[in-house]
Amino acid sequence: MADQTTSEAYENIIVRRQNRVGIIQLNRPAAMNALNSPTMAELLAVLRQFDRDDGLGCTVITGSDRAFSAGADIKQMAQASVVEMMAMPFLDYWDQLLHIRKPVIAAVSGWCLGGGCELALACDMIVASETARFGQPEINLGIIPGGGGTQRMARAVGKALAMEIVLNDRRLTADEALRYGLVNRVAPVDSYLAEAIKLAADIAGRAPVAVQLGKEAVNQAFELLLTAGLRDERRLFNALFSTEDQKEGMTAFVEKRAANWQGK
Ligand code: HXC
C-alpha cells in the first residue's frame, strides 16, 4: 500500500496522519515545548478528533529531538494564586487524557520534565531516544507534580525511586528509564520517532475494538486507587500556590537566579 501522509497546521502543534497513525508534534521550540493552556487545548482537541476518526487506530505524541517538553509553562503559573489555580482548567487537561480511547504512544527525546513527563506517563507507551532525560523537577520551584506525576511515577518505577525523583529531582537517563520500566524501548536519536510510528502502525493494524478495550482493561489495573490519589495530589499542588516559596521559586526561574527558600 502506498504511504498516505497528510498534515495540518495549528498554533502550538503540528498534526500529521500517516496511514492509520495520527502524529502530534509539540511545536513551541523557543520554550522547550513548555505546555501552556492553548497547547494542551489543541492537543486534547486533536486527540478527541482522532478518537472519532475510524481511519486512525493509534496516535504518537512527540516533541523535538532536543525536548519532548520541559514541563508546564512556568511563566503562565508564576504569579497565580491558589484560587486562580483551582479555577483554571489547566490541570484538567492531564486528567482528560484518561478518557482518550485509542492508544497513545509518546516518542520522547531530550528533556522530558515536569508536566511534560506527566504527559508521557499519561500515554500508554513510551519510546525513548538515547538522549531522553526524564524527571519531575517541580521541587526546584517550590511545588510538587500536579498532572498525575506522583501517582503514575510511583506506579511506574516503585516507591523508592519515585521518592528520589519527586523529592530530590533525580533525573533518569533513557537506559535507566528502560531498566526501571518507565519506557517500552530505547532507540538512537535518528530512529526513535520512526520506531514509535512503526509500533503505532502495528497496533493500528490490529482489531480496533479489542485494542481499545485492551487499553481500558490495562488502565483499570491502575485506576482502583488512582482517582483518590490524583484528587489529593491536586489539592496539595494547588495549596502550594499559597506559599511564598512557590512565588520565589518561579520568580527566581524567570529571573535566571538561584531561589532563596524561606520555608513558608
Ligand atoms: C516556561 C520554559 C520552561 C518551562 C524552559 N523554558 N522550560 N518556559 N516553562 N517549563 C524556556 C526558558 O525560560 C527559555 O526561555 C527557553 O525555554 C530555553 O530554556 P533554557 O533554560 O535557556 O535552556 P537550557 O539551558 O538548555 O535548559 C533546558 C532545561 C531548563 C533544563 C529544560 O529550561 C529547565 O530546567 N526548565 C524548567 C524545567 C522545569 O522546572 N519543569 C517543571 C515545570 S513545573 P527564554 O525566553 O529565556 O529564552 C510543571 C508543573 C506540572 O511542569 C504541573 C501539572 C501539569
PDB file of all heavy atoms in Angstrom, residues 30-32 34 66 70-75 77 91 94 111 113-115 118 137-138 141 143 146-147 237 253 256, ligand 1:
ATOM      1  N   ALA A  30      10.893  27.641  21.054  1.00  0.00           N
ATOM      2  CA  ALA A  30      11.536  28.710  21.833  1.00  0.00           C
ATOM      3  C   ALA A  30      11.328  28.501  23.331  1.00  0.00           C
ATOM      4  O   ALA A  30      12.065  29.053  24.151  1.00  0.00           O
ATOM      5  CB  ALA A  30      10.991  30.069  21.419  1.00  0.00           C
ATOM      6  N   ALA A  31      10.328  27.718  23.711  1.00  0.00           N
ATOM      7  CA  ALA A  31      10.043  27.477  25.141  1.00  0.00           C
ATOM      8  C   ALA A  31      10.251  26.009  25.494  1.00  0.00           C
ATOM      9  O   ALA A  31       9.681  25.521  26.469  1.00  0.00           O
ATOM     10  CB  ALA A  31       8.621  27.907  25.467  1.00  0.00           C
ATOM     11  N   MET A  32      11.080  25.309  24.738  1.00  0.00           N
ATOM     12  CA  MET A  32      11.356  23.889  25.025  1.00  0.00           C
ATOM     13  C   MET A  32      10.063  23.071  25.100  1.00  0.00           C
ATOM     14  O   MET A  32       9.937  22.161  25.908  1.00  0.00           O
ATOM     15  CB  MET A  32      12.109  23.744  26.357  1.00  0.00           C
ATOM     16  CG  MET A  32      13.469  24.345  26.357  1.00  0.00           C
ATOM     17  SD  MET A  32      14.642  23.103  25.834  1.00  0.00           S
ATOM     18  CE  MET A  32      16.087  24.107  25.673  1.00  0.00           C
ATOM     19  N   ALA A  34       7.302  23.881  26.358  1.00  0.00           N
ATOM     20  CA  ALA A  34       6.556  24.043  27.616  1.00  0.00           C
ATOM     21  C   ALA A  34       5.065  24.023  27.302  1.00  0.00           C
ATOM     22  O   ALA A  34       4.616  24.533  26.265  1.00  0.00           O
ATOM     23  CB  ALA A  34       6.949  25.354  28.292  1.00  0.00           C
ATOM     24  N   ARG A  66      15.514  17.772  20.833  1.00  0.00           N
ATOM     25  CA  ARG A  66      16.112  18.421  22.000  1.00  0.00           C
ATOM     26  C   ARG A  66      15.202  18.359  23.230  1.00  0.00           C
ATOM     27  O   ARG A  66      15.682  18.271  24.363  1.00  0.00           O
ATOM     28  CB  ARG A  66      16.393  19.888  21.650  1.00  0.00           C
ATOM     29  CG  ARG A  66      17.185  20.606  22.678  1.00  0.00           C
ATOM     30  CD  ARG A  66      17.684  21.939  22.166  1.00  0.00           C
ATOM     31  NE  ARG A  66      18.321  22.666  23.246  1.00  0.00           N
ATOM     32  CZ  ARG A  66      18.254  23.970  23.392  1.00  0.00           C
ATOM     33  NH1 ARG A  66      17.608  24.719  22.525  1.00  0.00           N
ATOM     34  NH2 ARG A  66      18.855  24.558  24.397  1.00  0.00           N
ATOM     35  N   ALA A  70       9.645  20.544  28.379  1.00  0.00           N
ATOM     36  CA  ALA A  70      10.285  20.916  29.651  1.00  0.00           C
ATOM     37  C   ALA A  70       9.261  21.158  30.747  1.00  0.00           C
ATOM     38  O   ALA A  70       9.604  21.680  31.810  1.00  0.00           O
ATOM     39  CB  ALA A  70      11.158  22.149  29.465  1.00  0.00           C
ATOM     40  N   GLY A  71       8.001  20.801  30.510  1.00  0.00           N
ATOM     41  CA  GLY A  71       7.017  20.859  31.589  1.00  0.00           C
ATOM     42  C   GLY A  71       5.940  21.888  31.367  1.00  0.00           C
ATOM     43  O   GLY A  71       5.858  22.512  30.312  1.00  0.00           O
ATOM     44  N   ALA A  72       5.104  22.052  32.400  1.00  0.00           N
ATOM     45  CA  ALA A  72       4.073  23.085  32.343  1.00  0.00           C
ATOM     46  C   ALA A  72       4.764  24.436  32.206  1.00  0.00           C
ATOM     47  O   ALA A  72       5.883  24.624  32.681  1.00  0.00           O
ATOM     48  CB  ALA A  72       3.229  23.042  33.607  1.00  0.00           C
ATOM     49  N   ASP A  73       4.069  25.382  31.557  1.00  0.00           N
ATOM     50  CA  ASP A  73       4.672  26.687  31.294  1.00  0.00           C
ATOM     51  C   ASP A  73       4.765  27.479  32.599  1.00  0.00           C
ATOM     52  O   ASP A  73       3.755  27.935  33.133  1.00  0.00           O
ATOM     53  CB  ASP A  73       3.834  27.438  30.249  1.00  0.00           C
ATOM     54  CG  ASP A  73       4.582  28.634  29.716  1.00  0.00           C
ATOM     55  OD1 ASP A  73       5.176  29.383  30.535  1.00  0.00           O
ATOM     56  OD2 ASP A  73       4.610  28.829  28.494  1.00  0.00           O
ATOM     57  N   ILE A  74       5.999  27.619  33.097  1.00  0.00           N
ATOM     58  CA  ILE A  74       6.224  28.279  34.393  1.00  0.00           C
ATOM     59  C   ILE A  74       5.784  29.736  34.334  1.00  0.00           C
ATOM     60  O   ILE A  74       5.244  30.278  35.298  1.00  0.00           O
ATOM     61  CB  ILE A  74       7.710  28.167  34.783  1.00  0.00           C
ATOM     62  CG1 ILE A  74       8.108  26.694  34.943  1.00  0.00           C
ATOM     63  CG2 ILE A  74       7.993  28.930  36.075  1.00  0.00           C
ATOM     64  CD1 ILE A  74       9.601  26.436  35.071  1.00  0.00           C
ATOM     65  N   LYS A  75       5.982  30.353  33.160  1.00  0.00           N
ATOM     66  CA  LYS A  75       5.645  31.781  33.047  1.00  0.00           C
ATOM     67  C   LYS A  75       4.127  31.984  33.155  1.00  0.00           C
ATOM     68  O   LYS A  75       3.676  33.018  33.633  1.00  0.00           O
ATOM     69  CB  LYS A  75       6.206  32.339  31.740  1.00  0.00           C
ATOM     70  CG  LYS A  75       7.744  32.360  31.770  1.00  0.00           C
ATOM     71  CD  LYS A  75       8.392  32.570  30.418  1.00  0.00           C
ATOM     72  CE  LYS A  75       9.904  32.350  30.542  1.00  0.00           C
ATOM     73  NZ  LYS A  75      10.609  32.318  29.262  1.00  0.00           N
ATOM     74  N   MET A  77       2.199  30.213  35.129  1.00  0.00           N
ATOM     75  CA  MET A  77       1.738  29.925  36.502  1.00  0.00           C
ATOM     76  C   MET A  77       2.388  30.800  37.564  1.00  0.00           C
ATOM     77  O   MET A  77       1.908  30.829  38.703  1.00  0.00           O
ATOM     78  CB  MET A  77       2.088  28.476  36.888  1.00  0.00           C
ATOM     79  CG  MET A  77       1.417  27.406  36.100  1.00  0.00           C
ATOM     80  SD  MET A  77       1.867  25.779  36.756  1.00  0.00           S
ATOM     81  CE  MET A  77       3.621  25.691  36.398  1.00  0.00           C
ATOM     82  N   LEU A  91      -4.971  21.974  34.865  1.00  0.00           N
ATOM     83  CA  LEU A  91      -4.607  20.610  35.278  1.00  0.00           C
ATOM     84  C   LEU A  91      -5.596  19.571  34.765  1.00  0.00           C
ATOM     85  O   LEU A  91      -5.250  18.395  34.637  1.00  0.00           O
ATOM     86  CB  LEU A  91      -4.490  20.525  36.804  1.00  0.00           C
ATOM     87  CG  LEU A  91      -3.424  21.407  37.451  1.00  0.00           C
ATOM     88  CD1 LEU A  91      -3.402  21.194  38.953  1.00  0.00           C
ATOM     89  CD2 LEU A  91      -2.048  21.139  36.864  1.00  0.00           C
ATOM     90  N   TRP A  94      -4.610  17.171  31.854  1.00  0.00           N
ATOM     91  CA  TRP A  94      -3.877  15.918  32.111  1.00  0.00           C
ATOM     92  C   TRP A  94      -4.869  14.810  32.484  1.00  0.00           C
ATOM     93  O   TRP A  94      -4.728  13.677  32.050  1.00  0.00           O
ATOM     94  CB  TRP A  94      -2.819  16.128  33.188  1.00  0.00           C
ATOM     95  CG  TRP A  94      -1.541  16.704  32.654  1.00  0.00           C
ATOM     96  CD1 TRP A  94      -0.388  16.014  32.374  1.00  0.00           C
ATOM     97  CD2 TRP A  94      -1.268  18.081  32.321  1.00  0.00           C
ATOM     98  NE1 TRP A  94       0.563  16.882  31.890  1.00  0.00           N
ATOM     99  CE2 TRP A  94       0.069  18.143  31.848  1.00  0.00           C
ATOM    100  CE3 TRP A  94      -2.021  19.256  32.371  1.00  0.00           C
ATOM    101  CZ2 TRP A  94       0.649  19.342  31.439  1.00  0.00           C
ATOM    102  CZ3 TRP A  94      -1.426  20.445  31.959  1.00  0.00           C
ATOM    103  CH2 TRP A  94      -0.114  20.481  31.499  1.00  0.00           C
ATOM    104  N   TRP A 111      14.777  16.582  26.791  1.00  0.00           N
ATOM    105  CA  TRP A 111      14.143  16.851  28.085  1.00  0.00           C
ATOM    106  C   TRP A 111      12.701  16.371  28.127  1.00  0.00           C
ATOM    107  O   TRP A 111      11.916  16.661  27.223  1.00  0.00           O
ATOM    108  CB  TRP A 111      14.193  18.352  28.400  1.00  0.00           C
ATOM    109  CG  TRP A 111      15.583  18.874  28.555  1.00  0.00           C
ATOM    110  CD1 TRP A 111      16.215  19.780  27.765  1.00  0.00           C
ATOM    111  CD2 TRP A 111      16.534  18.511  29.570  1.00  0.00           C
ATOM    112  NE1 TRP A 111      17.491  20.003  28.215  1.00  0.00           N
ATOM    113  CE2 TRP A 111      17.709  19.237  29.324  1.00  0.00           C
ATOM    114  CE3 TRP A 111      16.491  17.638  30.659  1.00  0.00           C
ATOM    115  CZ2 TRP A 111      18.839  19.112  30.118  1.00  0.00           C
ATOM    116  CZ3 TRP A 111      17.621  17.513  31.463  1.00  0.00           C
ATOM    117  CH2 TRP A 111      18.772  18.259  31.193  1.00  0.00           C
ATOM    118  N   LEU A 113      10.354  16.663  31.222  1.00  0.00           N
ATOM    119  CA  LEU A 113      10.370  17.118  32.620  1.00  0.00           C
ATOM    120  C   LEU A 113       8.995  17.600  33.073  1.00  0.00           C
ATOM    121  O   LEU A 113       8.198  18.093  32.254  1.00  0.00           O
ATOM    122  CB  LEU A 113      11.364  18.278  32.771  1.00  0.00           C
ATOM    123  CG  LEU A 113      12.828  17.989  32.412  1.00  0.00           C
ATOM    124  CD1 LEU A 113      13.660  19.258  32.518  1.00  0.00           C
ATOM    125  CD2 LEU A 113      13.406  16.886  33.291  1.00  0.00           C
ATOM    126  N   GLY A 114       8.756  17.505  34.370  1.00  0.00           N
ATOM    127  CA  GLY A 114       7.561  18.093  34.972  1.00  0.00           C
ATOM    128  C   GLY A 114       6.292  17.643  34.275  1.00  0.00           C
ATOM    129  O   GLY A 114       6.054  16.443  34.077  1.00  0.00           O
ATOM    130  N   GLY A 115       5.473  18.618  33.894  1.00  0.00           N
ATOM    131  CA  GLY A 115       4.221  18.304  33.203  1.00  0.00           C
ATOM    132  C   GLY A 115       4.448  17.578  31.881  1.00  0.00           C
ATOM    133  O   GLY A 115       3.563  16.854  31.406  1.00  0.00           O
ATOM    134  N   GLU A 118       4.780  14.104  32.883  1.00  0.00           N
ATOM    135  CA  GLU A 118       3.436  13.633  33.253  1.00  0.00           C
ATOM    136  C   GLU A 118       2.585  13.367  32.018  1.00  0.00           C
ATOM    137  O   GLU A 118       1.743  12.466  32.021  1.00  0.00           O
ATOM    138  CB  GLU A 118       2.768  14.656  34.165  1.00  0.00           C
ATOM    139  CG  GLU A 118       3.482  14.747  35.511  1.00  0.00           C
ATOM    140  CD  GLU A 118       2.985  15.874  36.374  1.00  0.00           C
ATOM    141  OE1 GLU A 118       3.097  17.044  35.934  1.00  0.00           O
ATOM    142  OE2 GLU A 118       2.488  15.604  37.472  1.00  0.00           O
ATOM    143  N   PRO A 137      11.144  17.937  38.167  1.00  0.00           N
ATOM    144  CA  PRO A 137      11.947  18.937  38.900  1.00  0.00           C
ATOM    145  C   PRO A 137      11.114  19.995  39.619  1.00  0.00           C
ATOM    146  O   PRO A 137      11.661  21.011  40.030  1.00  0.00           O
ATOM    147  CB  PRO A 137      12.772  19.567  37.777  1.00  0.00           C
ATOM    148  CG  PRO A 137      11.883  19.478  36.576  1.00  0.00           C
ATOM    149  CD  PRO A 137      11.048  18.230  36.736  1.00  0.00           C
ATOM    150  N   GLU A 138       9.814  19.748  39.818  1.00  0.00           N
ATOM    151  CA  GLU A 138       8.951  20.758  40.434  1.00  0.00           C
ATOM    152  C   GLU A 138       9.477  21.225  41.780  1.00  0.00           C
ATOM    153  O   GLU A 138       9.263  22.370  42.185  1.00  0.00           O
ATOM    154  CB  GLU A 138       7.523  20.211  40.604  1.00  0.00           C
ATOM    155  CG  GLU A 138       6.711  20.150  39.318  1.00  0.00           C
ATOM    156  CD  GLU A 138       6.854  18.835  38.566  1.00  0.00           C
ATOM    157  OE1 GLU A 138       7.807  18.067  38.862  1.00  0.00           O
ATOM    158  OE2 GLU A 138       6.024  18.568  37.684  1.00  0.00           O
ATOM    159  N   LEU A 141      11.043  24.455  42.151  1.00  0.00           N
ATOM    160  CA  LEU A 141      10.182  25.637  42.031  1.00  0.00           C
ATOM    161  C   LEU A 141       9.346  25.827  43.291  1.00  0.00           C
ATOM    162  O   LEU A 141       8.474  26.695  43.343  1.00  0.00           O
ATOM    163  CB  LEU A 141       9.242  25.485  40.822  1.00  0.00           C
ATOM    164  CG  LEU A 141       9.908  25.268  39.469  1.00  0.00           C
ATOM    165  CD1 LEU A 141       8.873  24.847  38.430  1.00  0.00           C
ATOM    166  CD2 LEU A 141      10.612  26.534  39.001  1.00  0.00           C
ATOM    167  N   ILE A 143       7.206  23.553  44.398  1.00  0.00           N
ATOM    168  CA  ILE A 143       5.907  22.875  44.226  1.00  0.00           C
ATOM    169  C   ILE A 143       6.142  21.371  44.054  1.00  0.00           C
ATOM    170  O   ILE A 143       7.274  20.896  44.196  1.00  0.00           O
ATOM    171  CB  ILE A 143       5.093  23.448  43.025  1.00  0.00           C
ATOM    172  CG1 ILE A 143       5.873  23.316  41.713  1.00  0.00           C
ATOM    173  CG2 ILE A 143       4.700  24.898  43.291  1.00  0.00           C
ATOM    174  CD1 ILE A 143       5.037  23.574  40.469  1.00  0.00           C
ATOM    175  N   GLY A 146       1.693  18.078  39.533  1.00  0.00           N
ATOM    176  CA  GLY A 146       0.242  18.277  39.672  1.00  0.00           C
ATOM    177  C   GLY A 146      -0.558  17.659  38.546  1.00  0.00           C
ATOM    178  O   GLY A 146      -1.785  17.778  38.509  1.00  0.00           O
ATOM    179  N   GLY A 147       0.128  16.988  37.613  1.00  0.00           N
ATOM    180  CA  GLY A 147      -0.574  16.386  36.477  1.00  0.00           C
ATOM    181  C   GLY A 147      -0.531  14.863  36.542  1.00  0.00           C
ATOM    182  O   GLY A 147      -0.514  14.191  35.511  1.00  0.00           O
ATOM    183  N   PHE A 237      -1.092  20.273  45.365  1.00  0.00           N
ATOM    184  CA  PHE A 237      -0.460  21.097  44.326  1.00  0.00           C
ATOM    185  C   PHE A 237      -0.998  22.520  44.394  1.00  0.00           C
ATOM    186  O   PHE A 237      -0.251  23.488  44.437  1.00  0.00           O
ATOM    187  CB  PHE A 237      -0.728  20.488  42.943  1.00  0.00           C
ATOM    188  CG  PHE A 237      -0.133  21.276  41.805  1.00  0.00           C
ATOM    189  CD1 PHE A 237       1.174  21.091  41.409  1.00  0.00           C
ATOM    190  CD2 PHE A 237      -0.892  22.226  41.127  1.00  0.00           C
ATOM    191  CE1 PHE A 237       1.730  21.815  40.358  1.00  0.00           C
ATOM    192  CE2 PHE A 237      -0.353  22.958  40.079  1.00  0.00           C
ATOM    193  CZ  PHE A 237       0.966  22.747  39.699  1.00  0.00           C
ATOM    194  N   PHE A 253      13.264  31.404  38.798  1.00  0.00           N
ATOM    195  CA  PHE A 253      13.475  30.759  37.498  1.00  0.00           C
ATOM    196  C   PHE A 253      13.400  31.783  36.376  1.00  0.00           C
ATOM    197  O   PHE A 253      14.264  31.837  35.502  1.00  0.00           O
ATOM    198  CB  PHE A 253      12.445  29.651  37.262  1.00  0.00           C
ATOM    199  CG  PHE A 253      12.567  29.063  35.881  1.00  0.00           C
ATOM    200  CD1 PHE A 253      13.500  28.071  35.622  1.00  0.00           C
ATOM    201  CD2 PHE A 253      11.808  29.539  34.822  1.00  0.00           C
ATOM    202  CE1 PHE A 253      13.662  27.558  34.337  1.00  0.00           C
ATOM    203  CE2 PHE A 253      11.950  29.028  33.547  1.00  0.00           C
ATOM    204  CZ  PHE A 253      12.874  28.042  33.301  1.00  0.00           C
ATOM    205  N   LYS A 256      16.300  33.982  36.211  1.00  0.00           N
ATOM    206  CA  LYS A 256      17.543  33.224  35.991  1.00  0.00           C
ATOM    207  C   LYS A 256      18.511  33.397  37.158  1.00  0.00           C
ATOM    208  O   LYS A 256      19.680  33.737  36.987  1.00  0.00           O
ATOM    209  CB  LYS A 256      18.205  33.627  34.660  1.00  0.00           C
ATOM    210  CG  LYS A 256      17.337  33.358  33.428  1.00  0.00           C
ATOM    211  CD  LYS A 256      18.074  33.681  32.151  1.00  0.00           C
ATOM    212  CE  LYS A 256      17.181  33.589  30.927  1.00  0.00           C
ATOM    213  NZ  LYS A 256      16.648  32.269  30.650  1.00  0.00           N
TER     214      LYS A 256
HETATM  215  C1  HXC B   1       8.352  28.110  30.550  1.00  0.00           C
HETATM  216  C2  HXC B   1      10.410  27.389  29.849  1.00  0.00           C
HETATM  217  C3  HXC B   1      10.247  26.166  30.536  1.00  0.00           C
HETATM  218  C4  HXC B   1       9.027  25.954  31.256  1.00  0.00           C
HETATM  219  C5  HXC B   1      12.167  26.154  29.557  1.00  0.00           C
HETATM  220  N1  HXC B   1      11.595  27.317  29.257  1.00  0.00           N
HETATM  221  N2  HXC B   1      11.366  25.414  30.345  1.00  0.00           N
HETATM  222  N3  HXC B   1       9.466  28.334  29.857  1.00  0.00           N
HETATM  223  N4  HXC B   1       8.127  26.962  31.227  1.00  0.00           N
HETATM  224  N5  HXC B   1       8.752  24.810  31.920  1.00  0.00           N
HETATM  225  C6  HXC B   1      12.153  28.393  28.428  1.00  0.00           C
HETATM  226  C7  HXC B   1      13.281  29.138  29.147  1.00  0.00           C
HETATM  227  O1  HXC B   1      12.749  30.101  30.052  1.00  0.00           O
HETATM  228  C8  HXC B   1      13.988  29.744  27.971  1.00  0.00           C
HETATM  229  O2  HXC B   1      13.261  30.878  27.537  1.00  0.00           O
HETATM  230  C9  HXC B   1      13.858  28.675  26.881  1.00  0.00           C
HETATM  231  O3  HXC B   1      12.765  27.858  27.254  1.00  0.00           O
HETATM  232  C10 HXC B   1      15.098  27.808  26.760  1.00  0.00           C
HETATM  233  O4  HXC B   1      15.383  27.254  28.029  1.00  0.00           O
HETATM  234  P1  HXC B   1      16.845  27.340  28.704  1.00  0.00           P
HETATM  235  O5  HXC B   1      16.644  27.164  30.160  1.00  0.00           O
HETATM  236  O6  HXC B   1      17.559  28.566  28.243  1.00  0.00           O
HETATM  237  O7  HXC B   1      17.531  26.040  28.049  1.00  0.00           O
HETATM  238  P2  HXC B   1      18.635  25.085  28.682  1.00  0.00           P
HETATM  239  O8  HXC B   1      19.686  25.860  29.396  1.00  0.00           O
HETATM  240  O9  HXC B   1      19.050  24.164  27.571  1.00  0.00           O
HETATM  241  O10 HXC B   1      17.851  24.236  29.811  1.00  0.00           O
HETATM  242  C11 HXC B   1      16.787  23.384  29.437  1.00  0.00           C
HETATM  243  C12 HXC B   1      16.006  22.945  30.693  1.00  0.00           C
HETATM  244  C13 HXC B   1      15.598  24.188  31.523  1.00  0.00           C
HETATM  245  C14 HXC B   1      16.905  22.023  31.554  1.00  0.00           C
HETATM  246  C15 HXC B   1      14.798  22.155  30.218  1.00  0.00           C
HETATM  247  O11 HXC B   1      14.940  25.123  30.657  1.00  0.00           O
HETATM  248  C16 HXC B   1      14.691  23.914  32.664  1.00  0.00           C
HETATM  249  O12 HXC B   1      15.124  23.455  33.721  1.00  0.00           O
HETATM  250  N6  HXC B   1      13.384  24.202  32.500  1.00  0.00           N
HETATM  251  C17 HXC B   1      12.420  24.097  33.576  1.00  0.00           C
HETATM  252  C18 HXC B   1      12.066  22.684  33.837  1.00  0.00           C
HETATM  253  C19 HXC B   1      11.029  22.586  34.946  1.00  0.00           C
HETATM  254  O13 HXC B   1      11.233  23.089  36.045  1.00  0.00           O
HETATM  255  N7  HXC B   1       9.896  21.963  34.637  1.00  0.00           N
HETATM  256  C20 HXC B   1       8.784  21.839  35.583  1.00  0.00           C
HETATM  257  C21 HXC B   1       7.834  22.979  35.373  1.00  0.00           C
HETATM  258  S1  HXC B   1       6.508  22.980  36.562  1.00  0.00           S
HETATM  259  P3  HXC B   1      13.981  32.307  27.283  1.00  0.00           P
HETATM  260  O14 HXC B   1      12.827  33.200  26.981  1.00  0.00           O
HETATM  261  O15 HXC B   1      14.760  32.637  28.489  1.00  0.00           O
HETATM  262  O16 HXC B   1      14.857  32.000  26.080  1.00  0.00           O
HETATM  263  C22 HXC B   1       5.496  21.751  35.996  1.00  0.00           C
HETATM  264  C23 HXC B   1       4.299  21.516  36.863  1.00  0.00           C
HETATM  265  C24 HXC B   1       3.404  20.500  36.289  1.00  0.00           C
HETATM  266  O17 HXC B   1       5.689  21.144  34.990  1.00  0.00           O
HETATM  267  C25 HXC B   1       2.029  20.734  36.809  1.00  0.00           C
HETATM  268  C26 HXC B   1       0.992  19.877  36.212  1.00  0.00           C
HETATM  269  C27 HXC B   1       0.891  19.788  34.794  1.00  0.00           C
END
